[in-house]
Structures are given as C-alpha cells and as structure tokens.
Amino acid sequence: MASPLQGIGVSPGVVIGPAHVIRELEHVSRQSGTPEQELAAFDIATEQAAAELESLASRLRAENHEAEAGILDAQALMARDPSLADLVRDQIRKGASAERAIDAAASHYRDTLLSLGDDYLAARAEDVTDVAQHMQRALGTETPQPEIRRLSVVVAHNLTPSQTASFDRELLLGLATQTGGPTSHTAILARTLGIPAVVGLGPAAGEIRSGQEVALDGDTGEIALDLDSDERSRWLERARAYEREKRRLTAFRDLPAETTDGRRITMAANIGSPAEVDAALENGAEGVGLFRTEFLFAERDHMPSEDEQVEAYRSVLEAFRHTVVIRTLDVGADKPLPYIESPDEENPFLGERGIRYSLRHPDLFRVQLRALQRASTAGKLAVMFPMVSEVEQIKTARQMLEDIREEVGGSAQIGIMVEVPAAALAASRLAPLVDFFSVGSNDLTQYTLAVDRVNERIASLYRPLHPSVLRLISVASEAAHAHGKWIGICGEMAGDPLAIPLLIGLGIDELSMAPSRLPVAKERVRGLTFDACREAAQLSLDYATAADVEELLRTTFP
Ligand code: PEP
Ligand code: MG
C-alpha cells in the first residue's frame, strides 16, 4: 500500500473506488499578447467560429434538420456581426485580452437583448453565449468540461463550483482536490450535494494516477491508495460504521432543536438548487436559511430567465412551512459564472462580488428581484443581500425591491448577510433597515483574520472560533435583538458541533447548514443548557486565541 495522504475533510462519507484524474483543468488560459496580436487572434477566431457554425449547419441540412440548421446559420451571422466585433475590438484596444474582450462584449450584448422586454430577442441571448463559446474554443481558451464515464473518485488540481455541479451524480463517488479550504465554494457545494470530499491535499494529489484505487474519508481528510486486502477490509468497515451512524441520527429528524432548559433554535438548511429540497426535508430542516442562487445560475450555460427563476424559487418555497431565505446572486471571487463577464481584478475576494456586482448590473438584478417577488406567494420568503458593507447598498436594493413589489405584488422579509467586519461593527445602524441578519461566518472569518478561505497553505490560520470573529458575531447579535430583529448564521460554522454551544450562547436564533449536518447538530442542541452556553460565550469573548476557545468548548461540552 502507498503511504496515505492527508487533506482537509470537507464533506463526510467514506468511499472506495478508482481515481479519475483531471489534470487539464490547470491549463485553461492562453498566453495573451499585444493589442495588435490580440486583434489578429480575434479576427482568426471569428472566422474560424463562423466557418465551424456554417459547416455544422450544412451537415444538419444534409440530414434534413432544416430548423436546427437555420439556428446555426443565424449564429454564424452573429459571429460575423460587425457591432459585436466593434465591441470586442474596443475592449482589446483598451488593453483586454481577446478572451476577456469576447466575454465582456458577449455579456454586454446579452444584457442588451434581455433588457428589451421581448421574448424572442431574450431567447437570442442564449445564441450569443453559444457564439462566444465557439470563439473561445477557436482561440484555444475554453475550459474543458470534465466528464466521468464510470463510478469514480474525481481527483483534480482544483474544480470550480460549476464543474463540480456538472458531474454525473450517479457516477461520482467522491472528490479530492489539491487546493482549497473547508469553506471554498467547491467544498460547500460537495457538502450540500452530499458528495464525500477532501480538499487541500497539496502537491501529494499530483501522485494519484487515473485508475488507481482510492479510499477517501470526507470527515478525517484521509486518503489511502493501492489498498492491500487488510486495508480494504478496514476501509469497508469504516464505510459501514459511517452508514450505521447516519441511520442512528435519523431518530432526531422530527424532534425540535431545544436545549434542556427550553431555548428553541430554528434548524434550517443551506441549499443551492431545488434538487436539494428533498435532502433538506429528509434531514429535518424546518426551513431554508440560505439558498445560494448563484449555484442555480452556475448549473447551466446561460442566465436563467425570469420565468425559470420563478419556477425554481416557487418550488423551494412551497416545500417549507417555515421561512425560506433566498440570497440574491453572489457571483465573483471563487464563484465565477461561465457566461458572465468576470472583471480582471487583482483581489477578487475584495472586488466586485455580491451586492456590489448586482447594483452595478441593475438590469440583471431586477430580473432576479422580480422573479423573487412573483414567487413569494408560494411560501414565506425572505430576500437576503450578500456582501453588504454600506447603509446605502441596503437602501438602494430595498428601494428596487419595493418598486418591483408595487408592480408585481407579493411580500418578503428583507435581510442582509453579516459577512464583512464593517457590517458587524455597524450592525446597530443597519438593523433598523432590515428584518433580519444572517452571519456569513465563512467570509467574516476570512475578512476579519485576513486569511484567504480557499488557500490551503494558510488553512491553519483560518479559525472561525477566533475571539475577534466571535466579538463581531456578538455585536451583530446584540444589535439585532435590541431592534427586535432575528439573527441566524449560515456559514459553515453553524454545522460544527464544537461551535454550536457558543453560537447559541451568543444569542443566535437560527442555525443553517448543509442538510447532511442537521441531525448531528440537532442532537448537539438537545444536549445543551442555554445557561452553560451563555456562560461559555461570555468567557470566550475575553480570550486571546482560537485555541483557548476550542479548549474551553471541548472541556465544557464534550
Ligand atoms: C458565508 O460567507 O459564510 C456564506 C454563507 O456565504 P458564502 O459561503 O456563499 O460566501
Ligand atoms: Mg459569503
């Protein structure tokens, strides 16, 4: 047996199967050149994309598929459209690479088509995406879409959330990546989808070969290769023990999360699409504390239309009696969308993400807000804005939502993520403007400690239980309650049994987490007293290090 590898377990489950190694994802970009070279590359790519589309059209016509051939002919014309080319050339002259310029121009073109309020033209926006992809392929920059054809453990340098979402779930046993930390979005998505995963394996992941047998524990982060028969039996027993524990925990599904002295906590699920509603209900979620709509947007190769969004939001709202918190698009940073122009930023996590992106793209934002308002009659909707750091952002977003409500009706609570330290510190000023707060501890930890949440090299410094993070949560919680508002937490910390007593002690009203974590969390809450939680929380706020807090929690709440 080869020596075992150690990564960070981010999504529980024990699996054994052949590795499917994806290496080409590391090489997704081409080298860009001077503006003259980029202009020439664009001209060649345009011609090649148009010729490719025409040749596909001829083939379809020869096979008597006239209607489909017509669509491709129209796309070939679009590829040669001088106004699209002008937009691209303009971007290149301003210094963009051909690759970025095509993305930017296509995105602008699509937004324009979508904003004209004409269904036919809106449908053409999809064609723009197709054409842009043909051009990118011709340039040699398109990210290859990984595919698996048999039961496999996928091993990769890194995966984007949309790549993770695109694997055939029937065949995907588990995931292992070289980079990434526990709160990277690929890790979160794996957890939400219930796919066992280990991230942050470092260069050791490079040793794994396709076809090699891999055993993976998504809890401990261990990976073993080339098992001998003793090892295989031990791993199989580990897998069975995991399944037994899962069955034992189902007993907690329908019990309330209440401390022994009567403090009732709402237990909610984090989901990324309507497909995860069943898992949430099966694991005993009362409502949804975070619907990350960007995953819904990432699962396809074009922006979902207003009607598609209404349908998705409705189906989630209908499934729950309790509140469903739907977060508006939080693209940017480690959540790029393949069909949305990503600005060229030195520090994307400090860049145009979340509400910043939405407010700069009001046409796109309005489509989502309209869809939310239209869907709101199906249940108890709460709309939440991500990455808020300024009063003005809430006021503007709120006004947009209220204007849309006048037009289309419906009702919803309005809340914000508290995930930027500035928002936590200004919580008493923000609370009067909202109905609720939800602590985004993943980003709050990253921004408070200045530790990149996806960088495995500094993963040991990424400590949500750092007293400085806890103080910010405490400030937000007190401000929310002083103004009669509720406060939840939807960062990964909410599902960590070690952190739960502390969060309850800090006054958190709702814990929202990946569905698979709910049963353990419920069992935890039901074994606590609110008094002990409050006492531990007060002590923690005076500590100096995360290690001190962890030690206190381990000894007080074994
Ligand atoms: C967070 O930051 O804690 C959060 C829940 O949002 P996301 O992980 O999607 O950034
Ligand atoms: Mg966040």
Side-chain angles (χ1 to χ4, degrees), residues 241-259:
Y242 174 77
E243 290 305 322
R244 276 197 300 275
E245 175 65 0
K246 218 163 108 177
R247 275 198 299 279
R248 185 187 72 78
L249 288 166
T250 54
F252 291 93
R253 191 181 62 187
D254 301 319
L255 298 175
E258 191 170 300
T259 60

Side-chain angles (χ1 to χ4, degrees), residues 31 53 101-102 133 140 171 173 189 196 202 210 213 227 271 274 283 314 365 369 377 429 432 464 466 500 543:
Q31 193 74 34
L53 287 160
I102 292 171
Q133 276 177 357
L171 299 179
L173 289 172
L189 188 60
S210 272
E213 186 178 42
L227 313 175
I271 62 169
N283 284 287
R314 263 185 173 281
F365 193 31
L369 296 177
T377 49
R429 299 281 180 278
H466 193 292
I500 286 173
Y543 283 174

Side-chain angles (χ1 to χ4, degrees), residues 390-392 394-395 398 402 414-416 427-437 483 485:
E390 302 286 336
V391 166
E392 246 358 274
I394 309 180
K395 288 190 177 159
R398 199 186 170 105
E402 279 164 5
I414 297 180
I416 57 163
S428 61
R429 299 281 180 278
L430 305 182
L433 303 173
V434 298
D435 300 309
F436 69 95
F437 286 151
H483 288 86
K485 311 295 163 79

